[in-house]
């Protein structure tokens, strides 16, 4: 399987593409991209450019296995220029760790053992929801909010249904915000906001959630976020520290990822003719001990393709929803909570 093949953003390959012919004609395409190489928007733009035959030339040097003094000097200069950002990132990480150490209960404090390295990857269940975009917009209008607010409220209800809430019953929603500009060459042009949402209030009247989202976005514009300053550390983080850095970046507690990708270019769905099905999802290599330490994971992605609005819900809750059969009915319940109708598969 393609998902069993490694991707290496440093030495390559940073992405993989597989094609599987189908017995009744046509084919299935699967593309796996390291998030270090590109975020969702960058990936979609690259696919759309490829389908349309547009060649993007960013002036980057061609890859080469040969060592040369010029390459060494260029890389050395870039590393030196990055050092101030690295030091600032270290300071931000230390400050974040200190602020989060007091009064925080971790889901699991068991230390990583040498046996964890040999643990097989856990199967994190994934559920897809497809609904009519116009119906979602109408439901949002009926509630007096924007459609994006309704989607975030739906994410809060999923968090409630799977039990991924804090002691006060609130869901910690972490939303990436695109910072991509025209001719932007960054692989990840993202910042983030965090909103604490009351799932019950989201169900009854999500207008309060909309106010909180607007306030968080305004604060992001004025003051920036806590996650972006940590990005310069990525090239220097050893593999054994990746999960610790992930926890510090997302913050303490039980974060719920909620990514609103927006409307996709139609060419993304036309790699070799109009596709009958398009599914975008985030994949992480977790072991069961990883998930126990993190207290599980929950990620909701949403994107629009033409008249369809699509969600992918990826979640694992220890001693709770650990299979798709357990997760799917909880997603249906969350849809019903928000008065939404969709096909769950």
């Amino acid at each position: 399987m393609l998902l069993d093949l490694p991707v290496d953003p440093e030495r390559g390959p940073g992405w993989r593409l597989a094609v599987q012919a189908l017995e009744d004609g046509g084919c299935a395409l699967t593309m796996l991209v390291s998030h270090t190489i590109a975020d969702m928007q960058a990936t979609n733009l690259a696919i759309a450019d490829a389908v349309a035959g547009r060649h993007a030339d960013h002036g980057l040097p061609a890859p080469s296995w040969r060592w040369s003094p010029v390459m060494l000097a260029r890389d050395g200069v870039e590393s030196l220029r990055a050092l101030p950002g690295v030091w600032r990132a270290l300071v931000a990480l230390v400050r974040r760790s200190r602020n989060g150490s007091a009064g925080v209960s971790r889901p699991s404090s068991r230390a990583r053992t040498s046996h964890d390295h040999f643990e097989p990857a856990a199967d994190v269940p994934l559920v897809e929801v497809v609904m009519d975009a116009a119906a979602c917009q109408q439901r949002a209008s009926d509630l007096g909010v924007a459609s994006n607010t309704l989607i975030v409220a739906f994410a809060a209800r999923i968090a409630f249904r799977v039990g991924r809430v804090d002691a006060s019953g609130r869901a910690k929603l972490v939303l990436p915000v695109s910072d991509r500009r025209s001719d932007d060459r960054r692989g990840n042009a993202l910042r983030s906001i965090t909103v604490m949402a009351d799932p019950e209030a989201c169900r009854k009247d999500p207008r309060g959630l909309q106010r909180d989202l607007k306030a968080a976005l305004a604060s992001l514009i004025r003051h920036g976020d806590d996650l972006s300053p940590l990005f310069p550390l990525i090239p220097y983080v050893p593999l054994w520290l990746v999960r610790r850095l992930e926890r510090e970046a997302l913050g303490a507690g039980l974060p719920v990822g909620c990514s609103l990708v927006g409307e996709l270019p139609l060419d993304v769905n036309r790699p070799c003719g109009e596709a009958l099905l398009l599914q975008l999802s985030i994949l992480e290599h977790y072991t069961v001990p990883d998930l126990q330490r993190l207290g599980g994971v929950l990620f909701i992605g949403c994107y629009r393709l033409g008249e369809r609005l699509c969600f992918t819900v990826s979640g694992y809750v220890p001693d709770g929803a650990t299979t798709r059969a357990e997760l799917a009915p909880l997603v249906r319940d969350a849809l019903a909570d928000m008065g939404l109708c969709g096909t769950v598969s």
Side-chain angles (χ1 to χ4, degrees):
M1 291 179 61
L2 180 65
L3 300 183
D4 294 328
L5 299 176
V7 291
D8 188 335
E10 182 178 3
R11 298 178 178 85
W15 58 275
R16 292 182 182 271
L17 179 65
V19 182
Q20 175 64 57
L22 304 177
E23 291 182 356
D24 56 350
C27 63
L29 302 179
T30 301
M31 187 174 185
L32 182 66
V33 182
S34 168
H35 214 307
T36 305
I37 298 296
D39 57 29
M40 187 68 76
Q41 187 174 3
T43 302
N44 291 330
L45 290 173
I47 294 174
D49 285 343
V51 171
R54 294 186 293 267
H55 178 66
D57 184 4
H58 296 300
L60 300 176
S64 173
W65 58 269
R66 295 183 178 180
W67 176 89
S68 74
V70 174
M71 292 174 58
L72 182 62
R74 185 190 67 232
D75 290 347
V77 169
E78 290 183 1
S79 297
L80 289 174
R81 288 176 177 172
L83 282 180
V86 172
W87 285 114
R88 288 192 295 270
L90 284 171
V91 171
L93 181 60
V94 171
R95 184 182 299 116
R96 191 174 176 86
S97 299
R98 288 176 177 174
N99 292 340
S101 61
V104 173
S105 59
R106 298 294 186 190
S108 173
S109 59
R110 187 178 68 85
R112 175 181 290 271
T113 67
S114 60
H115 299 292
D116 290 356
H117 179 73
F118 302 101
E119 288 280 344
D123 184 12
V124 177
L126 185 145
V127 173
E128 183 175 39
V129 181
V130 180
M131 69 178 64
D132 181 68
C136 180
Q137 179 62 60
Q138 183 59 53
R139 177 57 179 159
S141 298
D142 293 342
L143 292 171
V145 297
S147 56
N148 279 351
T149 302
L150 180 59
I151 294 167
V152 177
F154 168 60
R157 291 304 301 178
I158 296 177
F160 169 77
R161 287 292 181 178
V162 303
R164 195 168 176 81
V165 293
D166 64 12
S168 66
R170 296 187 303 167
K172 181 177 184 178
L173 305 177
V174 181
L175 292 82
V177 178
S178 178
D179 192 35
R180 190 167 299 281
R181 300 176 290 271
S182 59
D183 298 325
D184 201 326
R185 299 187 302 177
R186 290 176 294 173
N188 284 267
L190 295 171
R191 294 190 289 174
S192 70
I193 60 173
T194 299
V195 175
M196 300 300 297
D198 180 348
E200 187 62 21
C202 288
R203 183 180 67 85
K204 294 180 178 179
D205 185 0
R207 287 177 294 182
L209 174 63
Q210 181 161 275
R211 290 191 294 268
D212 291 342
L213 289 170
K214 288 182 177 180
L217 287 171
S219 177
L220 176 67
I221 295 172
R222 290 195 303 266
H223 308 297
D225 67 341
D226 294 333
L227 180 60
S228 299
L230 301 180
F231 285 168
L233 288 177
I234 292 175
Y236 306 96
V237 174
L239 293 178
W240 62 268
L241 193 56
V242 168
R243 293 303 177 204
R244 172 65 184 274
L245 182 59
E246 175 188 34
R247 187 177 65 216
E248 295 297 339
L250 291 176
L254 300 170
V256 177
C258 184
S259 180
L260 308 179
V261 179
E263 188 164 3
L264 302 182
L266 292 179
D267 279 340
V268 173
N269 200 44
R270 300 166 179 164
C272 49
E274 195 77 21
L276 296 178
L277 173 66
L278 173 67
Q279 184 183 80
L280 307 179
S281 61
I282 187 169
L283 300 171
E284 288 278 357
H285 186 283
Y286 291 110
T287 65
V288 172
D290 285 334
L291 294 169
Q292 293 287 347
R293 277 188 295 271
L294 294 170
V297 292
L298 181 60
F299 180 86
I300 298 94
C302 176
Y303 53 95
R304 177 171 176 170
L305 186 64
E307 300 304 318
R308 291 177 294 167
L309 193 63
C310 306
F311 301 86
T312 53
V313 181
S314 176
Y316 185 105
V317 180
D319 303 321
T322 60
T323 66
R324 186 190 168 281
E326 294 171 333
L327 180 61
L330 300 176
V331 174
R332 292 190 182 94
D333 291 341
L335 282 171
D337 290 342
M338 300 308 304
L340 295 170
C341 296
T343 302
V344 178
S345 60

